[in-house]
Amino acid sequence: MDPLDDSAVTRKMNDVPEWWLEGHEICRVIEARDFPTAIRIVDEIAVEAEKLNHHPDIDIRWRKLSFALTTHDAGGLTELDFTLAARIDEIAASHA
């Protein structure tokens, strides 16, 4: 999969407004209501990540989840990153 050019990344960022760009990654922080909910969110994301064969970097600090997405093999952001970001948003919203 080829990396997206800067203009495509800028357009795609509009589709995931909770995310921000950091270098060649898109990032988001989600705060769950409690630790067990945070773990359930991560479990659901893990299932989606396996389906897509695309795995986010995740940092879990109590109920605060930090995500970073990039396509290492492509050396930057691809459609896959934005697909997974949108799915992460849906999962997070289902636990709000």
Side-chain angles (χ1 to χ4, degrees):
M1 185 167 282
D2 292 327
L4 299 170
D5 63 29
D6 290 344
S7 63
V9 169
T10 299
R11 284 192 308 276
K12 289 295 212 178
M13 291 301 294
N14 292 324
D15 297 336
V16 289
E18 300 290 327
W19 295 77
W20 67 89
L21 189 59
E22 261 185 38
H24 294 290
E25 297 181 329
I26 54 173
C27 303
R28 178 171 182 199
V29 173
I30 296 168
E31 197 156 325
R33 70 176 147 254
D34 53 33
F35 183 71
T37 302
I39 297 304
R40 282 193 295 277
I41 291 169
V42 170
D43 283 344
E44 289 181 35
I45 290 168
V47 170
E48 291 302 312
E50 281 295 302
K51 287 179 187 175
L52 293 171
N53 193 29
H54 191 59
H55 305 92
D57 291 336
I58 305 171
D59 182 46
I60 303 169
R61 307 285 173 127
W62 183 41
R63 60 189 191 118
K64 184 177 175 183
L65 307 171
S66 299
F67 297 91
L69 295 172
T70 192
T71 304
H72 298 285
D73 294 348
L77 292 164
T78 66
E79 290 284 342
L80 202 49
D81 297 300
F82 290 95
T83 298
L84 184 54
R87 190 63 193 113
I88 289 170
D89 290 347
E90 291 169 4
I91 291 168
S94 75
H95 289 276

